[in-house]
Each structure stands twice: as structure tokens, then as C-alpha cells.
Amino acid sequence: MSEEEGQLEARLEEQEEFEPSEEFVSQANVTDEGIYEEFEEDWPGCWEGAADLLDWYEGYDEVLDDSNPPFYKWFTDGKLNVSDNCLDRHLEERGDEVAIEWVGEPTDEENRTFTYEELHREVNEFAAALRDLGVEEDDVVTMYMPMVPELPVAMLACARIGAPHSVVFAGFSAEALATRMNAADSEFLVTCDGYYRRGDALDHLEKANEGLDGVDHDVEATVVVDRLGDDGHGHDLRDGQHDYAELVADHEGAEVEPVHRDAEDMLFLMYTSGTTGKPKGVKHTTAGYLAWAAWTSQAVLDIKPDDTYWCSADIGWITGHSYIVYGPLALGTTSVMYEGTPDYPERDRLWEIVEEYEVDQLYTAPTAIRAFMKWGKQFPEEHDLSSLRLLGTVGEPINPRAWKWYYQHIGNEECPVVDTWWQTETGGMMVTTLPGIKKMKPGSAGPPLPGLDVRIVDTKGEEVEPGRAGYLTVNKPWPGMLRTLYQNDERFVNEYWAEYSDTDSDDPEDWVYFPEDGAKIDEDGYITVLGRVDDVINVSGHRLGTMEIESAIVGVEGVAEAAVVGGDHEMKGEAVYAYVILEDGYEGDDDMRERIVGGVEDSIGPIARPEAVVFTPELPKTRSGKIMRRLLEQIANDEELGDTTTLRNPEIVEDIQTKVERED
Ligand code: WT7
């Protein structure tokens, strides 16, 4: 490092606040500081502006119907179609502009570019094909697909005919696919033969087929995209399985009138992890969700139609739904989609893509930023990143060092960084700075967006002093919110509302949404999110339920009991620590360890792989028999242990500690 660079690093290290550059502010979509007050005074009317970003067949009656909390309805009786909003309405002015710029992992493969016109055509053809396969309005279509352009095509085709989709992340296991298809009674699947990962042509159809074997009802039809061509694994399509390209060719030139959907009709389901072993089917609807995705894309990501915008998430998660597909396309911009990993073939792959496509905004995750940091600044330095105007992060807390590295080495100290806190359930961003207005504080996501009432409270629901840790709550509804858990209103109320609401009341003031995150607030109203307070852990920005992992482990022959906690991890944020008790007669050896890891991969997927498996004769339990997870976490993190005197078996703690040390 040169002396000059050293000084810069030192200055940045001390700097706690950063102002957006004048150049950024002068062109930003939102620059009027008055927006916060305005929205507060005109609530919920303030969301009319978000609804105005959309085209409607029939206008809505009321912005918000809050007569039956927490079952809120937004933009009541309005009629619209999401595919129309993301495609048709752009055709006249922007038909020849690029909607999706798809980059495959192999560098010698030609990229696939879809103009709005081309995307519109393909979506129409596939929508017609889906109808011919028997998909009707309100049928749930499952998609088990990696990052291929046919995924957004299929999502938009479903939206066009009013069939909700349920996208299952391609990295999830066959069993996870079956669980989700069963939970949603889904009779249709769109999947793909395989995809490239670090140079390997992965077989995906085998997993999909295995998943289909686990579905407990008839599956009407499966569509298979041929991604790998000659690199494919040579599976013959089964009965009821159709080749995507053939279907589209058979429907060449077909036009499908977009179905007029009610504002509150379901757009999609997204399964996510919760406290219990059963994934939750988060239900998002048509108008509120799209308005939220579009408005936040405009206000926070500063997207303009002429931009080339890139969110490097996977469409299999909510981030990709809202900020690769729906938000950007509703605004008519160019959205980049990349199939591979950031380190293939080299660790500069992302920067190569930014340079080649002159990307304006990059939205990624702290876990990726920590990896870039570890690899070193020489990789971004090899490329011209001057096209970048804004940077974003999402998925987990970002530590100030990683934030500053991103700001300095990727953004050249010219791009504001938006640290966006939100969840699958919120549909879109909730807590973050508006980049054209607010200063940034590394490590803190920022104030709640205008129109949102977010408070940090104690266990009784009283607001805590600035600087103190408490629980994050959202005290007013917002258009992008989940409407319920699929076919389970009761669990919806229990999981998100019961903690801080008077559930007997029909006064919306008595209803408070609890996202199960810990947080603190500072004197300026900036919120620092501390992480989950339920039994959910966050591995590389992916949300995993410890109960799901435990039940996978207990399913392995020879395992009597398991407790899973998140331990701090330098790159992943958190890593899975599994404490396992074996049945008599079984050895805690490498073979057992492998079977446990394999069991987790089979039942959830490689993302849930335990970092450490610790065999122990007992788990620390309270006198009432509850496992002391906090203690197990402290052991995983090599932290000082809290009070162990209330344990029934305090002597086991030291024993486990030595075993964990040996693992390290
Ligand atoms: C959980 C939601 C939001 C889409 C990706 C994850 C954590 C998310 C931040 C952030 C600190 C964050 C929270 C949240 N989280 N963004 N900017 N700072 N924590 O969606 O899988 O539903 O997970 O991710 O703990 O509850 P998800």
C-alpha cells in the first residue's frame, strides 16, 4: 500500500458518516427531504404515488381497507396485470430497448439479450403453452430453476394468465421441492435440465425428477428447459414432461390477453424458513406488491429507464423476485441476470460484467462483499467501474469495514451505498437511506422509508432509548406486506402479529408486525439491525430454520437428538453448528459425520451444510428440559459463557467446549 493509500484508509476508518455526492444528488429520483413529513401527514394517501407508477384497467376505490386487521387490503377493487405492467405498456416507447441482459457462466458462450419486444413475445408464447397444458387462473405453478432467462419468462407468463408462481431455489434439494409442491397443491412444474457452476454442467433434472417422485398428488405437466444442450445428462423426458423450446415453437406468434387481476389476487408464493420445521408459504398479491417493488426500485435504487441495473442475487429468493424481475421491469429498465458465481473463471468476473455492460447500479450481499475484500482490490482495479452510480446491499448486517471497502474500491467514493433491511414477508425494502437525501452511516441501514412506522421496542412493546438493543417492529401496514401464510391465517397471526398486538382488537392501531429481528436506533433515527431473535440463522444471506436442519439430522440413522445454532463466520456471517447425540452403539466418527452432512444436503440443500458437527453425550438443558441454545451459540463463538447454574447438567458444558476447540 502506498503512503497516500494508507492515509486514505486511515481517514475512512475513522469516518462515521458519508454524504451522497453532489453529482449523484443532482440527478437522483428523490431529492426532496420533505417527503418524510409529507408521507406522515398524508397517510395512507401517500401510497397513491406508488400506485400511479402502474397502469390499471380499473382504478381502485380505497388505498387501504384496514377494517379487518391484520388482513389488510390495498388498492381495493383495482384491476391490473403484472405482465402488462412489466412488458406491454413499455412496447410503444421502449420495445427495442433491452429488458433482460442475460450472461451465462461460460465465458465463450454468447449472451442472450431480450428486448422488451422479444421478452413480450416469448412470454405470450409460453403463456399460451401453459394454458394449453391446462394451467388455469389461480393454479399454482412451481418453478425449480436456476438463473436462466426462461425463469423470468415463466414468472411473467404465469402473471399474464393469473396463475400464481412458487419459485423454489435451484440449490434446494429434491425433498425441499416436493415439500413445497405438496404444501401448495401445485400440479405444474417448470424446471430445467441443468446449469453451469464453476465450469461443471450440473444435472438438475435428476433432482427435479426425484422431487416429483415425492409429490403426494397428481402432477399435470412438467416443462423442461434445455439449458445444457450437448453438455446435458441425456435424460429422456418422462410422460407428461414437455420440452420448453418445442412448446414455445408450437405457439409461435400466439398472443394472450393479460387477465384482469384484482389488486388483492395472489401474484406468487414464496416459501421461507421460520421457527418450526415447516416452511412458511408467504403470499404476495398483485397491486400492493408490484407498487412496492416499483416504488422502492425508483426511490432507493434510483432506477431510470435508461439505466443498466444489476442485482446479483438469485431469482429463487425474494431479492431476485422484487429486484431482478418485477421492480426493474415495471420501470422499463435493463436488468442484468448472471448465471454463475463471482469467482469463475476468475475473481474479477463481476467487475468484467460491470465494465462490459456499463452497469449503473449494483445490488449485492454483504457475504459477497466480504469475499471481494478477502480476494483483494486488485480484481476490481483491473476494470473500469466508472459507469457505477449507486451501490446496494441486502440480506444481513454489513460491518463498517466491509461497507467502506465497497464504498471505496467498488464505488470509488462517488456512489452512495444503500444498506437495505427487509424480508421475504415485506415484499420490498423497508429500512434504508434515500440515497439522494440522506447521509449514510456504515453499519446502520438508516431510517425507515417514508410512510413507514418502525419502532425499536422492549419485550413489553415500549420504545427503548437510543443506543439500546431492542426488537424491531412495524406499527403500520404497507402495500408490499405479505397478506397471509398460504392457507394458514392462524399461523400468519401467530408468527408475525401475536407478540405485540392485541389480537382481539379490530382497531389497526392495536396491531403491530414483528419481523423477529433485534435492532437499535440512534439519536438521528438510524436503525442498526442486529439479527434474528428467533430460531432462524442467516448463512451467507440465506435464511435457514434451525428446526428444519435438526429434523434432517435426527432423520439420519443412529442419531438420537440434535441441536443446531448459528456460530459467527468470517465469510458467511453465520455458519451451522450441529450438536449431536448418538444412539447407543453408534460411533461419532468421520463416517457418521459424513452421513449427517449428507442428510442435511438431501433434505434441504448444500447451503445448510453444517460447518461443524459436535458429538456429545448430552445437551445443556434447563431443569424444565429446554435446550440452552444461547449457551451452545456462545460455545460456537468461543465467547464467555452466561449463567450455567440453572442447568440440570452444568458439567456437560466444559465437555462440549473442549470438543468444539478440537474441531477448530
Ligand atoms: C432477514 C430476512 C431481504 C431479502 C433477503 C433476505 C436479515 C436482511 C438486512 C440488512 C441486516 C438484514 C434480517 C431479516 N436482513 N437485510 N440490510 N441488515 N439484516 O430475505 O430470507 O426473508 O431474510 O435477513 O434478519 O429478517 P429473508
Side-chain angles (χ1 to χ4, degrees), residues 35 107 122 125 245 271 318 446 543 552 589:
I35 186 172
T107 43
E122 187 137 342
E125 291 166 351
Y271 282 88
I318 191 73
R543 181 164 152 187
D589 52 14

Side-chain angles (χ1 to χ4, degrees), residues 319 394-397 419-424 517 532 538 543:
T319 309
V394 60
E396 49 174 321
D419 174 357
T420 60
W421 176 88
W422 57 290
Q423 318 178 287
T424 304
D517 269 321
R532 305 285 305 193
N538 191 327
R543 181 164 152 187

Side-chain angles (χ1 to χ4, degrees), residues 194-378:
Y195 55 104
Y196 294 99
R197 204 32 112 248
R198 295 201 172 87
D200 293 333
L202 301 188
D203 187 347
H204 188 62
L205 188 53
E206 188 182 295
K207 263 198 325 183
N209 280 337
E210 207 186 306
L212 284 168
D213 293 339
V215 175
D216 60 14
H217 53 267
D218 282 343
V219 174
E220 295 275 317
T222 299
V223 179
V224 183
V225 173
D226 178 358
R227 156 73 185 111
L228 294 177
D230 292 343
D231 285 347
H233 295 261
H235 296 289
D236 291 324
L237 294 186
R238 298 174 172 184
D239 272 354
Q241 296 193 327
H242 308 264
D243 176 66
Y244 174 91
E246 269 174 35
L247 285 180
V248 167
D250 287 347
H251 292 83
E252 198 186 325
E255 275 174 36
V256 173
E257 216 22 64
V259 169
H260 292 202
R261 294 286 274 174
D262 186 87
E264 283 293 311
D265 279 341
M266 169 157 61
L267 177 63
F268 66 86
L269 281 177
M270 167 119 256
Y271 282 88
T272 188
S273 296
T275 302
T276 72
K278 228 177 135 214
K280 308 189 268 196
V282 170
K283 174 179 159 179
H284 282 293
T285 53
T286 303
Y289 170 80
L290 191 65
W292 197 248
W295 183 78
T296 50
S297 292
Q298 189 182 61
V300 180
L301 296 170
D302 201 47
I303 291 179
K304 301 174 175 64
D306 288 334
D307 287 336
T308 298
Y309 153 83
W310 184 16
C311 166
S312 72
D314 192 293
I315 296 177
W317 307 101
I318 191 73
T319 309
H321 278 51
S322 302
Y323 299 112
I324 296 177
V325 183
Y326 291 119
L329 297 184
L331 296 180
T333 198
T334 299
S335 185
V336 176
M337 201 180 150
Y338 171 54
E339 177 185 36
T341 59
D343 56 353
Y344 189 85
E346 299 295 338
R347 290 171 165 180
D348 67 341
R349 187 67 193 273
L350 297 198
W351 319 125
E352 190 183 274
I353 296 172
V354 168
E355 179 170 12
E356 182 170 349
Y357 296 97
E358 300 182 35
V359 170
D360 294 272
Q361 298 94 339
L362 178 69
Y363 191 30
T364 190
T367 185
I369 298 168
R370 289 192 295 268
F372 305 149
M373 214 170 125
K374 190 169 156 205
W375 298 339
K377 63 181 166 45
Q378 65 276 20

